[in-house]
Amino acid sequence: MDSAASCLELQLSEVEMLKSMYSEEELVFDGDCAPYLKILLNGDSLDDNTAELQTQIDEEGICLGFTFKILVDSHPAEIKFDFPKLYPEAAMPNVFVRTSGILSRQSQSKFRQKLDDFLLSLDKGEIMVLPVLDWVNEHLPGYVDSLDTPTETKSIGDGPCSFTRMWIYSHHIYSKFKRRDILAWASELSLQGFSMSGKPGMICAEGHTEDIEEYWARLRRLNWKRLVMKEREDVCCDSLDFLKRQFRFEGFEEKVFGISKGSSSSFHSDIGLLRTFLQEHNCSHIFELYFGINGDSQSPGVDTSVGEGR
């Protein structure tokens, strides 16, 4: 059995154990987990289904993902797990804790660092979900106690603060799971900006510096062929009003620029429309940064595609 098949068998065994321990209200699986759960539900032999499931993993980028619903000092929270293809033998699970505004930014950052340290202390090859659950349940309440005010997490007073706009390049953004997370995390962290799927992929996120850094940390934990921060703009703001004036985008959304059908399941975007969009938001220099073409000049289109790859 090759490494990927061995990891798949271990993942299914771990999920089967978790399903026996937690109710459907406590443990919620992502909608895209159906191919995995079908094997467990039907009691099918993994050997008979490995090839088909492995094809879906490789071609569609599906992965086992699920969320635990917990209470922290009577406040609802969630622990999200995603299993990379080679977990647990050669990769760590992606773990994200959503606290629904009960942690201050500083506490959230400290807790994330401690959680990362704990994950690195675990031995690869061993199942990790239960140890992580136990650790979070034991340590998270201590960070809630350090919350100074109920509104500190997502608002600041009229005093000094820091704004960041980050431009991120990816070799490609095809996976519907990555596209989902890009949007969901931006919403959770109250960021503004946009993402452009395809090849290459583009993400612009702007907001409070600590929220942008958390967003960037989450993105880096996903599996990418290449992910690079192309530009970072930091502004020290002496008031909340001054910070609000730094935003160039409203909300956060996935942008589609005049798609047309391409080969296979891909779609091609009109990069001329992207250039116009950047010009409208006073970001012309980004076009040249990404494509080596002056964003204020007329230039031939650059091919991007939106499909269902990794």
Side-chain angles (χ1 to χ4, degrees):
M1 181 181 297
D2 63 26
S3 179
S6 175
C7 289
L8 182 57
E9 183 172 356
L10 290 170
Q11 290 179 21
L12 287 171
S13 297
E14 185 170 12
V15 167
E16 187 173 26
M17 176 187 69
L18 295 171
K19 281 175 59 66
S20 70
M21 297 173 61
Y22 294 91
S23 68
E24 293 183 356
E25 290 74 27
E26 297 171 310
L27 174 60
V28 180
F29 288 90
D30 293 354
D32 302 304
C33 288
Y36 294 91
L37 300 180
K38 179 181 177 182
I39 293 177
L40 296 178
L41 183 65
N42 296 339
D44 295 339
S45 167
L46 183 61
D47 292 338
D48 296 336
N49 293 273
T50 297
E52 180 180 352
L53 185 52
Q54 199 66 59
T55 297
Q56 288 181 285
I57 294 172
D58 293 337
E59 294 184 355
E60 300 180 21
I62 69 169
C63 68
L64 264 172
F66 48 88
T67 300
F68 286 92
K69 308 282 188 175
I70 64 172
L71 289 176
V72 181
D73 290 349
S74 301
H75 297 285
E78 298 180 348
I79 310 174
K80 176 75 168 67
F81 289 84
D82 287 316
F83 286 171
K85 180 179 178 180
L86 295 181
Y87 165 80
E89 293 184 355
M92 309 294 288
N94 295 314
V95 184
F96 308 102
V97 180
R98 303 184 181 119
T99 54
S100 301
I102 62 175
L103 296 187
S104 66
R105 286 191 177 87
Q106 184 177 17
S107 294
Q108 187 178 49
S109 178
K110 290 180 179 178
F111 176 78
R112 179 72 249 182
Q113 183 58 57
K114 291 295 184 181
L115 176 57
D116 287 345
D117 292 343
F118 177 73
L119 287 169
L120 291 173
S121 74
L122 299 176
D123 295 326
K124 290 180 180 178
E126 302 293 330
I127 60 176
M128 301 181 187
V129 172
L130 288 179
V132 171
L133 278 175
D134 290 342
W135 188 91
V136 171
N137 279 307
E138 178 182 353
H139 291 86
L140 185 56
Y143 291 86
V144 175
D145 291 341
S146 65
L147 184 61
D148 294 328
T149 65
T151 60
E152 182 186 351
T153 303
K154 286 301 173 189
S155 64
I156 62 174
D158 192 27
C161 49
S162 181
F163 169 90
T164 295
R165 180 181 301 107
M166 186 177 293
W167 294 90
I168 300 167
Y169 164 91
S170 171
H171 178 272
H172 62 264
I173 304 175
Y174 290 152
S175 168
K176 57 187 176 184
F177 308 106
K178 285 192 179 80
R179 291 161 62 191
R180 174 200 63 194
D181 290 341
I182 287 168
L183 295 175
W185 293 339
S187 175
E188 177 189 342
L189 296 168
S190 301
L191 304 182
Q192 301 193 47
F194 73 97
S195 66
M196 184 185 76
S197 300
K199 182 180 179 181
M202 177 183 292
I203 302 170
C204 173
E206 51 183 20
H208 293 287
T209 297
E210 290 182 357
D211 291 333
I212 293 294
E213 290 175 346
E214 171 66 17
Y215 189 63
W216 175 232
R218 293 187 188 186
L219 290 175
R220 293 201 314 271
R221 293 186 190 104
L222 301 178
N223 295 320
W224 302 91
K225 183 170 183 178
R226 189 181 181 208
L227 188 72
V228 179
M229 184 196 306
K230 297 290 285 187
E231 182 172 277
R232 172 173 174 159
E233 306 165 64
D234 293 305
V235 180
C236 292
C237 305
D238 57 8
S239 68
L240 180 59
D241 182 64
F242 184 77
L243 180 143
K244 290 179 178 179
R245 294 202 300 269
Q246 305 309 307
F247 288 96
R248 296 182 184 175
F249 300 92
E250 183 175 350
F252 193 104
E253 60 183 336
E254 183 178 72
K255 301 297 295 183
V256 178
F257 297 101
I259 61 171
S260 59
K261 189 71 169 65
S263 60
S264 184
S265 60
S266 67
F267 294 86
H268 304 290
S269 299
D270 185 336
I271 297 303
L273 294 178
L274 168 63
R275 182 178 56 233
T276 300
F277 175 76
L278 293 175
Q279 290 171 345
E280 290 172 348
H281 291 82
N282 194 27
C283 299
S284 298
H285 72 288
I286 294 298
F287 193 86
E288 183 172 5
L289 186 67
Y290 272 73
F291 304 114
I293 302 170
N294 191 317
D296 292 318
S297 64
Q298 295 299 315
S299 57
V302 179
D303 177 29
T304 67
S305 54
V306 179
E308 296 298 330
R310 291 178 67 82

